[in-house]
Amino acid sequence: WGCCYREYMERQLELAQQFLEQSQLPDGSWPYYLTSAQGSPEPTCYCVLALANGRISATDPILQKALNWLLSLVNADGAVVLPEDDEPHWSTAVLSLTLTHLHQQEAMRDQNIAWLLATQGTPSQPDPWNAIRMDGSLIGWSWIGNTLSWVEPTSYGLLALKKAGIMNHPRIAEAEAMLFDRACVNGGWNVGNPVVWERALDAFVPPTAFALLALQDKAPHETITAGLSFLQEESQRAYSTLSLALTILCFQAYALPTEQLVDLLLSRQLADGSWRQMTQLTALSMLALQSVTGGGNVFKI
């Protein structure tokens, strides 16, 4: 990219930053949608990462207010628990990754990690019909407690632990084996099952991107190569904005070309600086653009 194009991207990032700053709720959180008054930990974490990865200091009042809100959700075991709920929330892994990247609240981050290491999905029961082709004994992380492991929460757990420098724990080895086992026949990942009743199920971009980010330290590996090929093929089709942002982040982590995807992502930015007036989508799009303009990739291990 030439200097003029880079300056253009910087201006667009500034607009996106202003959108996030203006859409923060009074309690410090961010909602998924601009029209919502209910903050959620996932968009709040991504907004914090995007703002801190840009020009805002990690000690800025905007970010400190957001971190205070996030930390208010953490229970004595180190897990995020939503208001009026008593179940640990899967976003604990995303909070851990956020605190690691910001070098903030290390004691709390360590509690998050301890909870992640002590928590796991449940193994699946033997399938008497052999309808589902996967090793149900392999365990990662689940969306909610006492349920099966799924691709995305397992990817979040791996990213959180690896970003914290934990690379060789038995929980990591088993979660990695689970992801390799769950890979779709034609490359990539879906939410969990690769084959049902001898039918190979389709992969989807978001779980594939997160699984590849979680496994980036295991490349080269044939499953990783097949996953990257799937993303490259999908990138030639009509992409959702979420898929664009995640694929850029994934390709940047693997040192693959991103120029065409960046152009397409920028073309979808609205005049108010947002992508679809959605805070999480805007934050992830910012993180994608920051990763290719020297701002660093928050998902890079």
Side-chain angles (χ1 to χ4, degrees):
W1 288 304
C3 62
C4 293
Y5 191 78
R6 188 172 294 274
E7 289 174 0
Y8 166 70
M9 280 203 287
E10 290 293 335
R11 288 196 299 272
Q12 298 310 110
L13 280 168
E14 287 179 6
L15 286 173
Q17 175 179 311
Q18 292 169 12
F19 171 81
L20 291 187
E21 290 175 359
Q22 294 165 4
S23 58
Q24 187 179 30
L25 295 176
D27 63 6
S29 68
W30 276 270
Y32 280 100
Y33 299 94
L34 190 61
T35 55
S36 173
Q38 177 63 57
S40 297
E42 184 186 22
T44 299
C45 284
Y46 287 137
C47 288
V48 166
L49 286 169
L51 291 173
N53 210 41
R55 292 190 171 89
I56 293 183
S57 166
T59 58
D60 187 277
I62 290 175
L63 299 189
Q64 289 303 308
K65 191 174 183 180
L67 288 176
N68 288 339
W69 181 82
L70 287 165
L71 298 183
S72 73
L73 303 179
V74 179
N75 68 11
D77 295 327
V80 171
V81 177
L82 300 184
E84 300 181 4
D85 194 1
D86 57 2
E87 285 290 328
H89 198 257
W90 57 267
S91 62
T92 303
V94 186
L95 174 59
S96 173
L97 186 152
T98 302
L99 296 178
T100 296
H101 186 76
L102 267 60
H103 303 287
Q104 295 271 315
Q105 300 288 338
E106 292 186 0
M108 181 64 73
R109 190 281 312 269
D110 291 345
Q111 283 186 274
N112 299 154
I113 288 174
W115 180 83
L116 285 169
L117 291 174
T119 305
Q120 59 186 28
T122 58
S124 62
Q125 298 298 317
D127 177 11
W129 301 283
N130 198 29
I132 299 174
R133 196 207 69 182
M134 67 180 192
D135 185 348
S137 68
L138 294 172
I139 295 173
W141 284 272
S142 58
W143 291 113
I144 59 175
N146 300 315
T147 60
L148 301 180
S149 305
W150 298 94
V151 168
E152 284 191 55
T154 297
S155 300
Y156 301 151
L158 283 172
L159 278 167
L161 295 177
K162 291 180 180 183
K163 285 288 287 185
I166 303 172
M167 309 296 289
N168 300 310
H169 195 278
R171 290 286 291 117
I172 288 179
E174 184 170 22
E176 289 174 341
M178 195 214 91
L179 287 184
F180 283 124
D181 179 71
R182 300 296 195 274
C184 293
V185 174
N186 297 319
W189 283 261
N190 57 32
V191 295
N193 300 336
V195 175
V196 175
W197 292 116
E198 302 300 324
R199 178 181 176 181
L201 302 184
D202 293 334
F204 304 114
V205 171
T208 297
F210 276 118
L212 288 170
L213 287 167
L215 295 171
Q216 62 190 271
D217 58 320
K218 298 303 175 183
H221 187 287
E222 60 181 4
T223 302
I224 292 174
T225 301
L228 291 169
S229 295
F230 166 76
L231 285 188
Q232 288 170 325
E233 291 173 6
E234 288 295 301
S235 69
Q236 306 304 313
R237 310 179 192 205
Y239 246 26
S240 72
T241 301
L242 175 62
S243 295
L244 275 173
L246 292 177
T247 300
I248 291 168
L249 286 161
C250 186
F251 281 6
Q252 196 281 332
Y254 281 89
L256 295 174
T258 60
E259 286 84 354
Q260 291 183 342
L261 298 179
V262 167
D263 288 343
L264 186 53
L265 183 62
L266 283 168
S267 73
R268 297 184 180 184
Q269 189 175 13
L270 301 179
D272 65 1
S274 77
W275 279 263
R276 297 183 60 191
Q277 294 196 318
M278 296 172 62
T279 58
Q280 178 178 347
L281 199 56
T282 299
L284 285 169
S285 296
M286 285 180 67
L287 289 169
L289 295 177
Q290 289 163 353
S291 75
V292 299
T293 54
N297 188 338
V298 300
F299 298 107
K300 178 73 174 175
I301 296 172

